[in-house]
Amino acid sequence: MEVLITGSGAREHALALKATQSPLVSKVFVAPGNPGIAEIAECLAIGPTDVQGLVSFRQRNPRIGLTIAGPELTLEAGVGDAFLEQGWAFWGSDQAGAQIEVSKTFAKELMDKYGIPTAASRSFNPNQRRQALSYFEKADLPIVIKEDGLAAGKGATIIQDLNEGRSLIKHLTDQDSRFLLEEYLTGDEISTTGICVGREFVPLLLTQDHKALFEGGPNTGGMGVITPLPFIAQQTEQDLYQTITQATLDAMAQEGLNFNGFLYSNIMMTPKGPRVLEHNARFGDPEAQTMLPLMENDLIETLMLGLEGNINQAQISWAKKYGVSLTLASGGYPGKYEIGRTIEGVDDANKLPGIMVMHAGTARHDGQLVTSGGRVLSVVSTAETLLGALQQAYYAATKINFEGMYYRKDIGQRGLNQA
């Protein structure tokens, strides 16, 4: 069969690569894809939220046996609803299920109602500026202000200063934005990922993303990931999947929401126990880049089992290795940055043992690879030890160059302390 994937980032590059490795798959389309994906699949001039464009393409290509939603924007746009209405196999939730990510207020209310551990918070509408300011000024600092809707991983701000908080609250209410004020939690931040169908799921590896641009810096969509996690005991991992993933799926089912897709949950391991920071209704990015190269199973076969109602028959096996993803970002990201910078050295990095470079924000201009986004490339490394995987990734990064290139130098340090 043929497979269609929506999206244009490194997550979609990793998904496309995994799909091409399946003996079930004869061809992979990616809408719209990127220059790296174009080397392994056919890229389409269709955006990931273009519902009619995607529907029309699927109608013209009946050999497509599975469509996989890459970014959350595809789910928010209702692509899943349109495909499911036609009876087409679609991996990803409908709009109703996507609320778990699209609305942080919805997710918080669900978790509070069903006793799923999460940070204490309160949500405010744009017309509640006075109430929000009153709540904020009585709260302990630091506190987290989160935009309610999708923000590409950059919608949470840690507030240390009263004036900074007042200014942001006024800005959000001026922008007619709903938002939350949430307690600030400390500990190890990790993530669970499940392949989910209704109340059933198959757990994948635990991951640890490094979301800040640098230690203590602004939040980004992710600057690097390690997996598996040597500092989390196996029993703790099993408990997390029961008390968070299973409990969330059960809660959604109780609310009449039949969630199908990847449920990716960010969790803070606090001294008082795990607390959910947020849920996501799709595969993480850069988690997908790190995890999928370690998966020994056929991903497409596993997803099809799920769509057939047999996800409990899936047995996931993993290479006995560590995976690392190192994000190479444009200078200025997650704020303003310039695009069109010439990228050199990707081919050289790809030739190194254990290295795959996934394209995130790249384009072709006059035949030359150039930057087109904030997160430009993911350098993915696999090795038998975490130290080895990190050393490989950082060495590969030295082979790549573009003006303003930035990456964190401390990815995986928490894991190294326990490895």
Side-chain angles (χ1 to χ4, degrees), residues 160-210:
Q160 307 270 7
D161 176 79
L162 279 173
N163 288 330
E164 179 189 10
R166 293 186 188 110
S167 177
L168 181 54
I169 289 170
K170 290 175 182 177
H171 170 75
L172 290 171
T173 52
D174 285 341
Q175 296 298 310
D176 203 30
S177 298
R178 197 175 187 186
F179 58 94
L180 292 86
L181 295 177
E182 182 176 282
E183 71 171 317
Y184 175 73
L185 300 177
T186 59
D188 289 316
E189 185 175 345
I190 67 171
S191 298
T192 55
T193 304
I195 298 177
C196 309
V197 180
R199 293 190 176 199
E200 297 187 326
F201 74 98
V202 174
L204 303 184
L205 295 175
L206 293 182
T207 53
Q208 182 173 53
D209 189 10
H210 300 67

Side-chain angles (χ1 to χ4, degrees), residues 231-247:
F231 54 88
I232 300 294
Q234 184 176 5
Q235 184 60 55
T236 301
E237 179 175 352
Q238 293 173 357
D239 292 344
L240 288 172
Y241 274 107
Q242 286 302 308
T243 60
I244 293 174
T245 305
Q246 185 67 70

Side-chain angles (χ1 to χ4, degrees), residues 6 47-52 54-55 69 71-83 90 93-96 98-99 102 150:
T6 68
T49 63
D50 183 354
V51 179
Q52 189 52 54
L54 291 165
V55 168
E72 60 275 24
L73 292 172
T74 295
L75 306 176
E76 181 189 37
V79 176
D81 300 72
F83 273 53
F90 182 84
S93 74
D94 58 14
Q95 283 179 315
Q99 290 180 90
V102 172
L150 298 178

Side-chain angles (χ1 to χ4, degrees), residues 45-46 117 123 136-137 140 159 183 195 202 222 238 276 402:
I46 305 172
S123 65
F136 167 71
E137 289 172 355
D140 294 329
I159 301 297
E183 71 171 317
I195 298 177
V202 174
Q238 293 173 357
V276 177
F402 56 86

